[in-house]
Amino acid sequence: MGALDGKVAIVTGAGRGLGRAHSLTMAAEGATVVVNDLGDEAEAVVAEIEAAGGTALANHASVSDWEATEALVADTVDRFGDLDIVVNNAGILRDKMSFNMDESDWDSVVDVHLKGHFCVSRHAGVYWRNQAKAGATVGRRIINTSSEAGLFGSAGQAHYAAAKAG
């Protein structure tokens, strides 16, 4: 019996690194995991989870896309009957000193780290609020991955540090 038996989780940026580790650990504890990542790595993580006897689904929505994240939450609930946990882990980095950075460099990093956390959380929050209004009293969780760069800054990463601080 796992600590997350019967729970359903969305993990963003779950194709590799910390997101992959979150996904594998949650699945090992009994959660059904929606592995969100833009790359093909999502399928590899799903295959690992399924090979270990878990349930998972790959999703390739961009976390900074309002409609795509709304669909991510709705599709998760439709397919698995609920959503209990959101892990906002998706992130990108475009190393550049601020005097060499252009607007698209800034926007792409802030979109994923800051807007991406908001989009997924917002749509999950709407679902959870509706569940609470219907009488559900189940605990829900949002886990946001951050970085010490948000506290201390980082050379060549003004956009990353600003987004992580947000």
Side-chain angles (χ1 to χ4, degrees):
M1 180 179 230
L4 299 177
D5 283 348
K7 303 293 185 188
V8 179
I10 294 172
V11 181
T12 70
R16 56 188 169 272
L18 190 55
R20 177 181 170 273
H22 287 316
S23 296
L24 295 174
T25 300
M26 293 177 107
E29 287 296 329
T32 295
V33 181
V34 177
V35 178
N36 167 266
D37 200 280
L38 292 177
D40 293 336
E41 296 88 353
E43 279 80 10
V45 175
V46 167
E48 283 184 75
I49 290 169
E50 290 175 341
T55 303
L57 175 71
N59 174 277
H60 299 286
S62 169
V63 295
S64 63
D65 182 317
W66 186 264
E67 289 82 19
T69 54
E70 184 174 33
L72 167 61
V73 169
D75 293 347
T76 298
V77 172
D78 288 347
R79 177 141 183 168
F80 300 113
D82 207 353
L83 173 62
D84 301 284
I85 304 162
V86 169
V87 179
N88 289 307
N89 178 73
I92 63 170
L93 186 57
R94 304 287 186 259
D95 280 334
K96 285 194 177 175
M97 298 299 288
S98 59
F99 50 81
N100 288 328
M101 187 182 306
D102 61 32
E103 185 177 12
S104 67
D105 296 323
W106 178 272
D107 288 348
S108 64
V109 172
V110 171
D111 275 355
V112 171
H113 290 275
L114 194 53
K115 184 179 178 188
H117 278 46
F118 171 69
C119 287
V120 180
S121 297
R122 189 272 186 192
H123 296 304
V126 168
Y127 168 70
W128 293 335
R129 184 170 188 253
N130 290 336
Q131 291 294 298
K133 284 183 171 186
T137 57
V138 179
R140 311 299 183 152
R141 301 291 183 266
I142 295 175
I143 302 161
N144 293 323
T145 301
S146 191
S147 168
E148 63 187 18
L151 296 173
F152 304 114
S154 187
Q157 300 175 353
H159 45 0
Y160 180 83
K164 287 300 187 180

